[in-house]
């Protein structure tokens, strides 16, 4: 998708799409994460001709079992269903790598839904450990990418 515009946005811009894609049939409050307003958190949005088509949030947060001093966590990545598998997520992640590095991070990690593992591997992430269940959402794997 060539004319995709990636912007840093305020957290309130990500909630509707986060809710629609990641927590359908749940109250929008289920998409409010405690880290959303932490210092150093940032939220990216992908716009296609002023239409919001994808979002992702990033937080300085260290995973206790991954070895890197400074880490960021990806959480709440979502792409409008009709725009999935068209490069929106890839462009959101590519933009985040530079921002995380500028903030001093050398590793980006996330809890990836099983159905998203293949996508993350294509973006250079590695799988870590065994699958685990997040209640009400499903099985996940820890995925990470070294940024340096």
């Amino acid at each position: 998708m060539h004319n995709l515009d990636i912007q840093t946005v305020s957290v309130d811009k990500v909630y509707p799409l986060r809710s629609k894609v990641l927590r359908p049939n749940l109250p929008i409050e289920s998409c409010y994460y405690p880290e959303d307003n932490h210092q150093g958190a940032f939220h990216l949005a992908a716009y296609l001709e002023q239409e919001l088509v994808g979002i992702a949030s990033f937080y300085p947060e260290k995973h206790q079992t991954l070895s890197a001093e400074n880490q960021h966590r990806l959480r709440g990545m979502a792409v409008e269903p009709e725009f999935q598998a068209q490069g929106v997520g890839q462009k959101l992640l590519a933009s985040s790598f530079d921002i995380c590095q500028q903030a001093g991070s050398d590793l980006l990690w996330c809890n990836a839904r099983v159905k998203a593992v293949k996508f993350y591997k294509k973006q250079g992430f590695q799988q870590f450990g065994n699958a685990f269940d997040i209640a009400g959402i499903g099985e996940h794997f820890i995925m990470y990418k070294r940024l340096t």
Side-chain angles (χ1 to χ4, degrees):
M1 215 168 269
H2 300 294
N3 49 351
L4 202 61
D5 182 28
I6 306 296
Q7 299 176 15
T8 302
V9 296
S10 60
V11 68
D12 59 300
K13 299 273 193 259
V14 305
Y15 290 142
L17 187 55
R18 194 190 275 178
S19 178
K20 175 184 177 181
V21 174
L22 299 178
R23 305 279 171 90
N25 308 314
L26 291 174
I28 195 164
E29 294 80 18
S30 72
C31 290
Y32 299 171
Y33 304 151
E35 306 89 353
D36 280 335
N37 295 301
H38 283 184
Q39 186 172 347
F42 66 96
H43 310 278
L44 295 180
Y47 289 94
L48 183 62
E49 299 171 14
Q50 274 83 57
E51 181 185 356
L52 179 67
V53 296
I55 51 101
S57 297
F58 302 86
Y59 318 104
E61 182 181 333
K62 188 170 179 155
H63 190 281
Q64 67 274 10
T65 56
L66 295 174
S67 63
E69 190 58 37
N70 296 303
Q71 303 176 20
H72 265 76
R73 178 182 181 183
L74 160 64
R75 195 164 182 206
M77 184 175 200
V79 175
E80 282 284 1
E82 63 268 27
F83 292 98
Q84 291 177 2
Q86 296 180 38
V88 176
Q90 184 273 329
K91 288 198 176 184
L92 283 165
L93 279 179
S95 295
S96 79
F97 298 154
D98 290 337
I99 298 169
C100 289
Q101 282 183 298
Q102 289 170 9
S105 279
D106 48 5
L107 184 137
L108 178 63
W109 68 276
C110 65
N111 292 330
R113 293 173 188 228
V114 169
K115 69 180 184 178
V117 166
K118 189 174 171 183
F119 163 79
Y120 286 110
K121 285 185 175 180
K122 284 173 73 176
Q123 311 314 313
F125 281 71
Q126 297 176 51
Q127 193 172 314
F128 179 82
N130 298 318
F132 59 95
D133 188 64
I134 295 179
I137 301 171
E139 279 202 328
H140 287 68
F141 281 96
I142 296 167
M143 304 283 299
Y144 69 94
K145 179 180 174 77
R146 297 209 179 272
L147 301 175
T148 53

